[in-house]
Amino acid sequence: MTGMENGTPAALPVPVAESPRRGLAAAFWSLLFLGTAAGNVLAQWMRALRDAQPFPAAATSIEEFSSALASLGLLVLLHAGARRWPLHADTWRRRIGIYVLGGVAWWLLHVSGMVLLRKLAFALAGQHYTYGDWPTQWFYEFFKDVQTYSLLVIAVHAAAWFGRQRQGEAHLLAPPDEGPPVEPVERPQHFLVRKLGKEFLVATADVEYAQAAGNYVNLRVRGHDYPLRITMAVLEQRLDPAVFLRPHRSWLINRDQLRSIQPLDGGEALLHMADGASVPCSRRQLPLLRQALGGAAG
């Protein structure tokens, strides 16, 4: 079982279901921030028109859109931080300090970014831009930025929570309160999935592969990812080693879903799965994988 040709290392695959959602999220946040900036420009123009005052359209547009663009750039970091340090009922006390420091970092980076954009835009127009006095102007922005940052943290985590509810979260079956378990709990044949208030069972044999994601492992089942709160090492112990192989420290695969192995320069490989995904295989694990497959990959 081997690939058709050698290739160069590819980026780690992203589950198919995530790409459209990320594209929609990026479009939503871009429309929100840029639309708000355009609305602020329009409001200031209408105020100037009402008061019969001159309206510096270019300067106002630069100031509003520079702030929006700086916020959009920082929002990427906020999303990454939310994935790395998610807030849950049992973790928020330990991680709240990280988000407090993140609020200070947001303020400093947002002001620095928008001022830099403004200076560049005004310089291109042959003008000079002065932001204002350090303590007064910067701390004026501090209170606005803290409010914006707090609302974004809530929104990002609320969206992540809703996404988990819609997509579903997997749980290991627990021993029953009374009577013997219907299957060995130490090596379950099913996972319990909770989705939008309903519960159903997913057969372990239907798991195509699993990827570590922070404190979770994402189980891939028929085009859907079900986050399971467990470490990859513990999950590996719970699954049947005759069925599930570990080609990489962050991945487990169902051998029945493996279609081909593509060797790469450096001794690594890409494993092509039945659903079209490509899973990395480390140089150390490749010989063990081939041995587990019975030496069929030559």
Side-chain angles (χ1 to χ4, degrees):
M1 186 184 298
T2 182
M4 297 295 293
E5 59 183 359
N6 291 351
T8 56
L12 291 181
V14 176
V16 178
E18 287 190 7
S19 297
R21 291 201 300 268
R22 288 185 178 180
L24 289 174
F28 168 78
W29 289 113
S30 298
L31 183 63
L32 177 64
F33 278 98
L34 298 178
T36 300
N40 290 340
V41 172
L42 179 61
Q44 294 187 53
W45 172 72
M46 295 179 68
R47 187 181 302 115
L49 191 64
R50 180 197 63 187
D51 299 336
Q53 297 292 326
F55 176 66
T60 302
S61 299
I62 290 172
E63 290 181 354
E64 293 295 340
F65 282 95
S66 62
S67 178
L69 291 173
S71 295
L72 279 173
L74 290 174
L75 189 59
V76 176
L77 299 179
L78 178 56
H79 272 285
R83 288 192 298 269
R84 176 64 179 82
W85 299 290
L87 295 177
H88 299 286
D90 57 342
T91 62
W92 73 269
R93 289 181 179 85
R94 297 197 308 269
R95 293 174 175 171
I96 193 65
I98 296 174
Y99 284 90
V100 171
L101 293 176
V104 177
W106 177 283
W107 162 53
L108 294 174
L109 292 173
H110 176 252
V111 175
S112 299
M114 73 177 187
V115 169
L116 178 60
L117 290 174
R118 291 174 184 180
K119 285 183 175 293
L120 290 174
F122 275 86
L124 290 175
Q127 303 178 34
H128 176 72
Y129 175 77
T130 302
Y131 179 58
D133 295 335
W134 143 246
T136 305
Q137 191 66 21
W138 278 68
F139 278 97
Y140 167 75
E141 285 291 336
F142 172 78
F143 293 104
K144 294 198 303 180
D145 281 351
V146 165
Q147 294 178 47
T148 300
Y149 171 80
S150 300
L151 291 174
L152 288 174
V153 167
I154 294 172
V156 166
H157 282 90
W161 176 86
F162 178 77
R164 290 195 300 269
Q165 295 298 309
R166 185 173 61 86
Q167 181 73 3
E169 285 188 290
H171 301 264
L172 286 170
L173 289 177
D177 294 333
E178 297 180 0
V182 295
E183 62 183 38
V185 177
E186 290 304 315
R187 185 157 289 168
Q189 297 176 4
H190 297 85
F191 291 98
L192 181 67
V193 171
R194 294 190 177 99
K195 181 177 180 180
L196 295 177
K198 298 181 179 180
E199 296 183 346
F200 56 95
L201 295 178
V202 170
T204 304
D206 290 339
V207 176
E208 299 159 21
Y209 49 86
Q211 181 187 14
N215 297 329
Y216 285 82
V217 172
N218 287 325
L219 305 179
R220 187 70 167 179
V221 182
R222 293 189 292 272
H224 295 277
D225 293 304
Y226 299 111
L228 172 66
R229 187 153 194 173
I230 197 174
T231 65
M232 183 64 79
V234 173
L235 178 62
E236 183 182 17
Q237 294 174 0
R238 302 292 296 271
L239 297 178
D240 187 351
V243 177
F244 290 91
L245 309 175
R246 191 170 181 181
H248 188 277
R249 62 185 178 87
S250 299
W251 294 82
L252 274 170
I253 66 166
N254 186 328
R255 63 183 297 163
D256 294 334
Q257 297 294 320
L258 178 61
R259 293 295 177 264
S260 66
I261 301 174
Q262 178 185 355
L264 302 175
D265 297 336
E268 299 89 359
L270 282 180
L271 311 180
H272 297 286
M273 308 301 293
D275 69 345
S278 298
V279 173
C281 181
S282 68
R283 179 172 53 185
R284 184 173 66 87
Q285 291 297 115
L286 184 56
L288 300 176
L289 177 73
R290 283 175 165 156
Q291 182 180 3
L293 293 171

